[in-house]
Amino acid sequence: MTQSTLTYNGFYSESPRPGILGWLLSTDHKRIGIMYLCCITTMFIVGACLGIAIRLELIAPGPTIMGPQTYNATFTVHGIIMIFMFIIPSVPAAFGNLVLPIQIGARDVSFPKVNLISWYCYVIGAVLALFSIFTGTGAPDTGWTFYVPFSTHTNTNVSLAAFAAFMLGFSSILTGINFVTTIHRLRAKGMTWGRLPMFVWTLYATAWIQVLATPMLGITLVLVILERTFGAGLFDAARGGDPIMFQHLFWIYSHPAVYIMILPGMGVISEVIPVFARKPLFGYWAMAFSSLAIAFAGSLVWAHHMYASGMSDFAILVFSFLTFIVAIPSAIKVFNWVSTLYKGSIELAPPMLYALSFIFNFSIGGLGGLALGAAASDIHLTDTTFVVGHFHYTMFGGLGFAFFAALHYWLPKFTGRMYNHKIAVIAWALLFVGFNVTYMAMQAVGIQGMPRRYYDYLPEFFPLNLVSTIGSWVLAIGLIMMFVNLWQGMRKGPVVGKNPWGAATLEWTVPSPPPMDNFGPDDPVVTRGPYEFKGVVADEY
Ligand code: HEM
Ligand SMILES: [Cu+2]
């Protein structure tokens, strides 16, 4: 079927308030999810442009397109945008809001108004962060980590940027509280813990980290602001303070935060792979508990970011050991995805391509993480571009690709239309190749010793930097193609039915787009698990 008239319009036309206010004052989880999606995608595009600009500056030794101060500001704003405005809220706030209530058979989250407030906190934080570039005494130049003493002494607009991150943290905490409560209290009849889709399990684990760890970040950033404004002296060694304390406080949040970033992505992959391999997820309970284990163990390893900051050998040994422990539940996940694929009847649809490349990229990133977790190799690699390559592999190659998988998997559900598969595959191929070239070269030049965050470099680092920059252009073309294709599909693609992929979770039993109340007058009663495909047929489109 390729008719292009869509008569059914679901929750888009069923709002109690018409027009823009129907969106800005809506407490419906789907509308809030769509609003998150729009903001987050916009921020990703801004952040990606800055990333391309950084790569352009690094194309050759010596100054090329910008001065050193602009360079510092560019990578700082790139990092702040990508971490706090893209990667942390991307899957949980956007797709969690869109999908989670429907997947557990609920009509909304537990606290719909808090949900809306959380979106406003996000918007205020994002606007303030962007303001910090153009106002005050110059764009922040500390890097997204706000390390003292530089951040307490630089004259640039750091306080505003820190306050913006504080607001964004609030948004994240409120979403976490909402999801924990929703998953405990609003599951439909028959939706036992053992029947929760894996996406819900990972959001559950994520939500606990959001609630427990994010306040640490808030406190730390407030202390930096106090230090800057009143000279509080907490981090200033000359006044009896301790700069290393900042690093502990910061990483006690920011290491667990990398699991806020990656766990929901793992959830997306655990949904996509069974559907396109047409097999139940291998090792359901191992998958569920490994999410909780990652959340728990991940909270104990923060000091692996500080091996070079000065610590006893014994402390280094302990943190190294604990870091290796986190690799176990992560490896369980990779093993179970691969086992799910084994002897499956695999369909290489666009969401599946992104899911498979997630496994590839995330495995490379994870193994690089072990090289950094082992103190001996970390001493050489720390603060080199190897680290930048490693975290782009896990965050961009991992969660970024999971976000793209989620876009290709769930957008047809929420727009009622399908994008062009052929273009989607070409865009994916460009993205995958461009991504790997860009960051593999960055890792390689890091192993040779090129420091990160440096404006200029030695001539021997030139070839690999050139390769990396060219890779970033391929990546950019892939991104443009993917977004344009999705946008056009949403506007005029062929109309899809309830279940274009033949998936077995609840969101595929309601119309596309879903109606305002998700399930009509009667609450659903769940009688089978999320990966029992027997009798489930895919709709044609
Ligand atoms: C088009 C895509 C992207 C490109 C070309 C790109 C490129 C870069 C480059 C060249 C740097 C600077 C490295 C340095 O000077 O040490 C950087 C830093 C960084 N990037 Fe990206 N990046 C991209 C996407 C992303 C994404 C999706 C994320 C998050 C998920 C991300 C997170 C970061 C962070 C946190 C930093 C560190 C900033 C800092 O050191 O303060 N980037 N990126
Ligand atoms: Cu860490």
Side-chain angles (χ1 to χ4, degrees):
M1 267 189 293
T2 49
Q3 86 264 34
S4 63
T5 44
L6 191 63
T7 40
Y8 171 77
N9 213 0
F11 72 95
Y12 293 98
S13 52
E14 293 170 25
S15 167
R17 270 192 214 85
I20 186 80
L21 281 185
W23 286 89
L24 293 179
L25 299 177
S26 174
T27 53
D28 175 53
H29 69 95
K30 299 179 288 302
R31 290 201 163 209
I32 294 176
I34 296 274
M35 293 199 291
Y36 267 117
L37 196 60
C38 294
C39 298
I40 286 164
T41 311
T42 311
M43 294 319 296
F44 174 78
I45 292 170
V46 175
C49 292
L50 294 171
I52 305 286
I54 307 171
R55 271 308 341 151
L56 207 54
E57 167 53 39
L58 295 175
I59 190 169
T64 52
I65 62 161
M66 56 176 96
Q69 187 57 29
T70 313
Y71 177 81
N72 290 349
T74 309
F75 76 67
T76 299
V77 176
H78 168 76
I80 292 176
I81 287 183
M82 286 302 194
I83 297 287
F84 296 112
M85 288 167 241
F86 169 64
I87 208 99
I88 290 182
S90 61
V91 175
F95 285 103
N97 262 312
L98 282 170
V99 179
L100 167 81
I102 316 186
Q103 276 195 331
I104 63 170
R107 278 158 206 279
D108 209 324
V109 291
S110 278
F111 311 112
K113 284 183 187 148
V114 174
N115 205 15
L116 183 65
I117 294 174
S118 145
W119 181 76
Y120 275 103
C121 288
Y122 174 88
V123 173
I124 294 171
V127 168
L128 290 180
L130 294 180
F131 253 57
S132 75
I133 309 175
F134 305 109
T135 56
T137 42
D141 58 351
T142 57
W144 75 278
T145 49
F146 298 105
Y147 264 22
V148 301
F150 185 70
S151 63
T152 48
H153 286 77
T154 174
N155 288 326
T156 55
N157 208 0
V158 170
S159 297
L160 188 58
F163 184 70
F166 179 84
M167 283 307 287
L168 292 161
F170 243 102
S171 164
S172 180
I173 294 171
L174 294 179
T175 303
I177 291 173
N178 232 330
F179 285 1
V180 170
T181 320
T182 305
I183 295 167
H184 273 279
R185 310 215 40 131
L186 296 186
R187 282 171 290 129
K189 210 167 167 224
M191 180 52 82
T192 56
W193 287 90
R195 284 186 182 149
L196 286 182
M198 208 45 66
F199 186 52
V200 177
W201 271 109
T202 55
L203 286 176
Y204 182 70
T206 307
W208 277 111
I209 316 178
Q210 287 178 303
V211 173
L212 296 175
T214 315
M216 284 303 283
L217 175 78
I219 292 163
T220 313
L221 293 177
V222 167
L223 292 179
V224 169
I225 297 172
L226 289 179
E227 193 94 355
R228 285 177 65 83
T229 327
F230 304 111
L234 274 156
F235 302 134
D236 183 354
R239 313 180 60 193
D242 180 3
I244 300 297
M245 184 170 76
F246 172 87
Q247 293 189 23
H248 281 293
L249 291 174
F250 180 82
W251 286 113
I252 287 174
Y253 166 76
S254 292
H255 187 83
V258 308
Y259 301 106
I260 299 180
M261 304 172 204
I262 200 68
L263 275 168
M266 292 172 154
V268 174
I269 303 313
S270 305
E271 295 303 301
V272 169
I273 287 195
V275 171
F276 295 95
R278 295 222 80 66
K279 267 182 69 195
L281 186 70
F282 182 89
Y284 179 90
W285 285 107
M287 281 299 223
F289 281 111
S290 61
S291 304
L292 302 179
I294 290 176
F296 176 72
S299 304
L300 306 175
V301 302
W302 72 90
H304 62 203
H305 297 272
M306 300 165 57
Y307 293 148
S309 307
M311 255 194 282
S312 73
D313 289 348
F314 179 70
I316 290 182
L317 187 74
V318 170
F319 280 106
S320 226
F321 175 75
L322 289 171
T323 302
F324 275 71
I325 298 275
V326 194
I328 297 171
S330 312
I332 288 177
K333 288 201 179 281
V334 173
F335 177 80
N336 285 9
W337 289 321
V338 175
S339 304
T340 308
L341 290 169
Y342 180 66
K343 290 198 176 165
S345 130
I346 293 173
E347 187 199 340
L348 291 178
M352 183 65 155
L353 289 172
Y354 281 105
L356 294 177
S357 32
F358 172 101
I359 300 180
F360 179 86
N361 297 337
F362 179 72
S363 301
I364 295 182
L367 291 173
L370 291 181
L372 296 167
S377 35
D378 180 67
I379 300 296
H380 170 66
L381 293 170
T382 194
D383 273 323
T384 66
T385 59
F386 181 85
V387 177
V388 184
H390 153 73
F391 70 63
H392 281 89
Y393 260 101
T394 51
M395 295 191 305
F396 187 6
L399 196 90
F401 274 63
F403 180 69
F404 303 152
L407 287 174
H408 287 87
Y409 183 60
W410 278 309
L411 268 189
K413 165 69 22 195
F414 290 95
T415 62
R417 287 175 187 277
M418 186 57 81
Y419 45 83
N420 182 311
H421 279 212
K422 222 179 253 161
I423 300 178
V425 171
I426 300 171
W428 164 81
L430 289 170
L431 255 169
F432 182 72
V433 172
F435 170 84
N436 276 286
V437 170
T438 308
Y439 296 107
M440 192 60 85
M442 230 186 253
Q443 282 192 326
V445 78
I447 293 172
Q448 293 176 4
M450 173 164 156
R452 75 187 275 207
R453 292 184 177 172
Y454 275 30
Y455 172 67
D456 197 2
Y457 52 80
L458 299 173
E460 63 253 40
F461 300 137
F462 171 55
L464 283 168
N465 271 291
L466 181 64
V467 170
S468 179
T469 299
I470 293 173
S472 76
W473 299 336
V474 180
L475 179 61
I477 297 170
L479 283 174
I480 294 169
M481 208 176 205
M482 180 191 77
F483 281 125
V484 170
N485 184 35
L486 287 170
W487 177 248
Q488 290 193 327
M490 270 159 29
R491 291 182 52 239
K492 15 184 217 266
V495 173
V496 292
K498 283 183 180 174
N499 194 356
W501 311 121
T505 39
L506 276 188
E507 76 272 28
W508 304 102
T509 61
V510 303
S512 314
M516 199 67 181
D517 58 3
N518 294 349
F519 295 99
D522 298 315
D523 283 322
V525 178
V526 181
T527 52
R528 61 163 165 201
Y531 310 110
E532 292 172 27
F533 295 108
K534 215 180 220 152
V536 179
V537 277
D539 289 339
E540 274 187 40
Y541 53 89

